[in-house]
Amino acid sequence: MDEVVVGIDIGGTVTKFGLVTKTGKVVLLDRMPTTGFDGFNDYFKTLVHKISVMTGKMSDRVTGIGIGAPMGNFLEGSIDMATNLGWGKKIMVARTFSEFFNKPAFLTNDATAAAIGEKTGGVAKNMDDFLVITLGTGLGCGIYVNGTVLHGKHGYAGELGHVIVDPKGRKCNCGRRGCLETYVSASGIMKSVRAFKNKKLFEGSVLHDRTAYPDSKAVARAAAAGDPLAEYVFEFTGKVLADALANIIAMFNPEAIILSGGLANAGNLLIDPLEQFLNQKVLTNLCGKTKIHISKLDSEKIAVLGAASYAWQMINDHSHSNSLMVC
Ligand SMILES: [Zn+2]
C-alpha cells in the first residue's frame, strides 16, 4: 500500500481532512465543524481523534501532514489573526500537529493550497503561470509564477481580497474600506443586495424577502430565474471582478485564472458579465490571452488535495527541508 499524507483544510465554518497518496489520489475524506469548540486546543483534540480513527491501521503509512488555512503563514506554520475563530492572534498549528503525530507538518494559505490542488490534479496541470481565486465567504488568491508558488517575503502574497478597489467603499473585516472581497465574495453579494434593493427599479424583486433569500446561493437562484435585482447584483459583481482581473493580468500575464469556491458555482451568472467587462478593460495587447476557468475539481476535495500536495512537495524538496520542516 502506498504512503499517504494527511491533508487538512481549515475553513471558517467547516474543516475537511483526508488521506492523499503521492500521485494525488484522495483515499479517504471526512469533515467536521471548525466552530463551536472551547478554543483551539478543544478543536485540535477532536480533529486529531477523528484523523486517528480515519488513518486506523494505515497510521504507519502516514508520511506527513499538510494544512491549508485562511491567514496561514507558511514561514512559521501558524494561523495569524485567527481572532474570528476565537483562537487568539497566533496559533502555531503546524508545530502542534507535528508534535502530536511525530511527523513533519506544513501549513500554507488556503488559496495557495487550492492553487497547488489545481496544479496537481486540475485544469492547471500543464501550466506554469496561473492564479486561482477562491470565492467563498471572503476572496483568496493562490499564485504560480514560472511553475513555482509565490509566497512573498513574509508569506502573505496573494491577499487579493484586501486589494482596495474603492477607498471610500464598504467597510472590511481587516479594518479598512473598499477591499475587493467586500464586493466579490459570498458576503459581498449580500452586501450588494442590501446596497441596491431600495432602488425604484427593483421594487418588485423577490430579494426583499430576506428569509426566503438569505444567502448568495439563493441570490444566484433568483438571478437564474430572471429577478432583475439579483441579475444586477451578479452583473455588478462581475464588473468589479473584471477591473481586478484586468490589473492582475497586467501584473502577472498569466495563462489562466481559475475561479473556485462556492460563489464560482454561480457559473455563467458571474462569468458572462466578467468576460464582457474584462474584454473592455484588459490591456489591448493582452486581450483574450488569459483564459478564465471555473474549477472542475470537486470543491470538497480540492483544498485537502492541495494541502496534502504541498506537504508532499515539502517532504520531497530537500533544499527546503532544513529550514522549514517542523519536527
Ligand atoms: Zn480588507
Side-chain angles (χ1 to χ4, degrees):
M1 176 95 189
D2 293 337
E3 288 181 315
V4 290
V5 150
V6 180
I8 304 168
D9 170 44
I10 302 177
T13 47
V14 176
T15 297
K16 297 163 195 161
F17 50 96
L19 303 181
V20 182
T21 67
K22 205 172 190 172
T23 54
K25 192 175 167 208
V26 181
V27 184
L28 289 168
L29 196 66
D30 202 356
R31 48 157 56 209
M32 64 171 248
T34 306
T35 52
F37 294 93
D38 187 16
F40 175 74
N41 289 343
D42 189 30
Y43 161 83
F44 178 77
K45 229 162 66 184
T46 305
L47 179 54
V48 293
H49 172 71
K50 283 179 176 284
I51 291 170
S52 300
V53 170
M54 174 184 267
T55 51
K57 288 175 187 163
M58 294 168 71
S59 59
D60 57 333
R61 298 197 172 95
V62 173
T63 309
I65 299 131
I67 306 148
M71 299 308 281
N73 180 339
F74 90 105
L75 287 169
E76 299 186 55
S78 58
I79 299 180
D80 299 347
M81 301 298 289
T83 40
N84 55 339
L85 293 170
W87 291 354
K89 280 192 175 164
K90 193 180 219 22
I91 303 291
M92 302 305 289
V93 177
R95 186 179 299 279
T96 310
F97 275 97
S98 180
E99 284 172 0
F100 183 87
F101 287 105
N102 198 26
K103 302 280 178 196
F106 308 95
L107 179 143
T108 190
N109 179 279
D110 55 347
T112 299
I116 296 170
E118 292 291 349
K119 176 79 177 156
T120 308
V123 71
K125 216 165 183 171
N126 298 314
M127 295 180 193
D128 285 334
D129 298 275
F130 67 95
L131 292 91
V132 171
I133 297 181
T134 56
L135 301 169
T137 312
L139 186 153
C141 181
I143 305 165
Y144 264 81
V145 177
N146 296 336
T148 308
V149 168
L150 185 71
H151 287 294
K153 174 71 177 170
H154 305 103
Y156 292 123
E159 287 296 344
L160 177 66
H162 298 286
V163 165
I164 294 170
V165 296
D166 180 358
K168 291 182 180 161
R170 298 173 183 174
K171 213 163 182 300
C172 183
N173 286 336
C174 71
R176 304 176 308 158
R177 278 193 179 275
C179 292
L180 182 62
E181 76 172 23
T182 66
Y183 299 88
V184 186
S185 64
S187 57
I189 290 276
M190 299 316 288
K191 286 186 174 99
S192 295
V193 169
R194 286 195 290 278
F196 302 132
K197 73 177 178 184
N198 291 328
K199 285 193 174 196
K200 225 170 173 185
L201 189 65
F202 303 130
E203 265 173 0
S205 168
V206 296
L207 301 187
H208 286 279
D209 182 357
R210 279 185 65 180
T211 40
Y213 296 91
D215 54 27
S216 63
K217 267 188 205 164
V219 178
R221 273 201 306 276
D227 181 81
L229 171 55
E231 281 180 339
Y232 181 76
V233 165
F234 272 95
E235 189 182 313
F236 171 77
T237 307
K239 195 175 183 178
V240 177
L241 183 56
D243 284 343
L245 296 198
N247 291 339
I248 278 182
I249 290 169
M251 281 281 292
F252 292 99
N253 184 202
E255 181 175 348
I257 294 174
I258 302 149
L259 307 179
S260 74
L263 186 56
N265 294 335
N268 288 345
L269 285 172
L270 187 65
I271 291 289
D272 287 350
L274 169 63
E275 289 192 329
Q276 182 200 330
F277 291 115
L278 188 56
N279 285 336
Q280 294 168 14
K281 293 292 184 75
V282 78
L283 274 173
T284 313
N285 58 334
L286 292 170
C287 192
K289 293 226 162 67
T290 298
K291 299 276 174 286
I292 308 293
H293 294 282
I294 300 272
S295 174
K296 288 190 173 62
L297 289 176
D298 180 345
S299 59
E300 285 288 303
K301 283 184 187 169
I302 176 172
V304 168
L305 169 65
S309 302
Y310 176 62
W312 275 120
Q313 272 181 18
M314 296 300 281
I315 288 164
N316 292 333
D317 188 349
H318 296 296
S319 64
H320 284 82
S321 61
N322 289 338
S323 58
L324 289 174
M325 191 176 280
V326 183
C327 289

